[in-house]
Structures are given as structure tokens and as C-alpha cells.
Amino acid sequence: MTTPGGDGVPIASNDDVVRVRQLVRAAAAAAGMSLVDQTKIVTAASELARNTFVHGGGGSARVESVVNARGRAGVRLVFTDSGGGIPDVAQALTEGWTSGGGLGLGLPGARRLADEFELETEVGRGTTVTVTKWTR
Amino acid sequence: MERVPILKIGQVLLVSIQVDLQDQTVLALQEDLADRIVRTGARGVIIDITAVDIVDSFIGRMFATIASMSRLMDAETVVVGMRPAVAITLVELGLSLGGVRTALDLEKGMRLLGAPLPTIGSGAVDGP
């Protein structure tokens, strides 16, 4: 399942963050993930969607169903914004460091909850975070 | 934006979260609770998350904030009903919820606060 439109669903409000969580939940259940793994990927999605909205000034989320070479199903999430980008990636991935009023668990937490994590960012151009979780 | 209702049972305020929490709802709940604690003189707050299927760092921080805020107003907070999958995820996320008391369910939460449990009908015996 890929979310319709190709570009994904917009993240332009707090309601959209909730909507993304629901989409990810449905995709994770469809992939046959355990309840714990569903909860982990939905929580990661919540952190990343909030980052996209709060730090990236809004953007979009793409929810994809994927299958790896060994036939294992999974869910891949791509969060994109065209905000200010992250000047210091190492710092942003450090636990407890926060640029806003959060706990500094958003990015490092999402990385831990997913199986694969990829971060592309350019100052002044925006940020794309891709996470994947596979069924066990 | 939805608002989470706050119920009063004796000296305890009960918040049972039944909606998908978005950030504004969480912030409104903090304010509503602080206001209700002052107006009612409640000594305890129970946040029931039985129906909550994810707790992320923002929602987790809300629990900690509500707990310290109510403590300043002489009320204890207990979070009850956390699902196993949510607990496992919180640990992996790195959120310890330090300072927040938790109980397995509503009944144990009420006991923890020393709140009397309701008995229904005359002669009803509620365990030891």
C-alpha cells in the first residue's frame, strides 16, 4: 500500500499528525506486525510527524508497504519538509538535546524504534527522514 | 480540537483518555486539570490510559508535567492502565516517566491514592 497521490499526505496541522499515526497503524497491521512492533513504528511516526510540523514548518508523509529480498513484509515511512534543515545532524541525533521545548527524544527515539533510519538534510532546503520496520 | 473530560469522584479527579491525543488537546488538558484541582481542592488525579494505543515523548512529557504541577497544588497523580506494548515502546524510546506514579488499573490507582472505593448495594463486600 502506498498512500495515494505519490507525494504522500500533508502534515500541516496537529490533526495531520494524528492522521499519519492512524495510516501507519493500518499499514503496520496489514504487514502482519505484532502489536508491540505496530506500537513502536506508530510511536516513531508520531515523533517524526511532529518534527516535520513543528521544526520543518510542515511537509508530508509517505507510507509505503515494502517487501525485502527475503520476502519479509515491512513498512517504510518517508517524512519530508522544506524547512530550515538541521545544521548539526550529530547533535540532533544526540539523546536529550533539543532545539525546542521537547525532551530531545524525537529523532534518536525514532531511530531506535525503527529497524532502518536515514536522514538527509540541507540547511535552508529541508529535511527528509526515512524509517523502515520489518515484520519478525 | 477535542477536549478530554475530567470527572470528579470524591477527592479524586479522573481523566480517562478516549481520543487520539493531538498536541493541542494535551496542552488544554493540562490547563483544565490545574484549574479543576484548584476549584475542587482534589487530593488526587488519576489519568486512565487504558484506551491509549501510543505514548510518544510529547504525551509522556505531559504526564510528567501534570504530575509535578498537581504536586505543587497538593494533589498526587497516578497514571493507570498502560498497555504492555506501550510500556515496551516507552522503555525503548528512552522515556522513563520519572516522578510519575503508575498503577496497573483504575482500582489499584484509587487504592494508591487512599481513595475509598465505592461499594454497590448494602452488604457488598469488596475483598480484604
Side-chain angles (χ1 to χ4, degrees), chain A residues 61-81:
Chain A
R62 222 165 62 225
V63 182
E64 300 169 353
S65 291
V66 286
V67 178
N68 73 3
R70 285 158 40 208
R72 205 180 272 182
V75 176
R76 178 166 293 144
L77 314 174
V78 186
F79 293 86
T80 309
D81 68 62

Side-chain angles (χ1 to χ4, degrees), chain A residues 21-22 46-47 50 101 112, chain B residues 20-21 56-57 61 92:
Chain A
R21 293 203 297 239
Q22 290 163 349
S46 188
E47 301 290 349
R50 182 179 297 106
R112 252 200 318 273
Chain B
D20 271 325
L21 284 174
D56 62 15
S57 61
R61 184 171 58 136
E92 193 146 327

Side-chain angles (χ1 to χ4, degrees), chain A residues 14-15 18 21-22 25 35-36 39-40 42-43 46-47 50 54 95 101-103 105-106 109-110 112-113 133, chain B residues 1 20-24 53-61 83-86 88-89 91-95:
Chain A
N14 282 307
D15 277 330
V18 172
R21 293 203 297 239
Q22 290 163 349
R25 170 77 68 183
L35 195 54
V36 170
T39 305
K40 285 181 182 175
V42 175
T43 305
S46 188
E47 301 290 349
R50 182 179 297 106
V54 175
E95 212 148 291
L103 293 170
L105 288 171
R112 252 200 318 273
L113 292 171
K133 193 154 191 77
Chain B
M1 181 194 76
D20 271 325
L21 284 174
Q22 60 117 304
D23 294 5
Q24 294 306 315
D53 58 13
I54 71 140
V55 172
D56 62 15
S57 61
F58 189 86
I59 299 169
R61 184 171 58 136
R83 297 182 184 188
V86 171
I88 291 168
T89 301
V91 171
E92 193 146 327
L93 190 60
L95 205 67

Side-chain angles (χ1 to χ4, degrees), chain B residues 23-40:
Chain B
D23 294 5
Q24 294 306 315
T25 309
V26 165
L27 295 172
L29 174 61
Q30 286 177 358
E31 286 178 26
D32 291 349
L33 251 182
D35 191 50
R36 281 290 289 277
I37 292 170
V38 169
R39 277 199 287 127
T40 61

Side-chain angles (χ1 to χ4, degrees), chain A residues 3-23:
Chain A
T3 38
D7 288 339
V9 291
I11 302 178
S13 71
N14 282 307
D15 277 330
D16 291 335
V17 174
V18 172
R19 201 163 306 125
V20 167
R21 293 203 297 239
Q22 290 163 349
L23 278 173

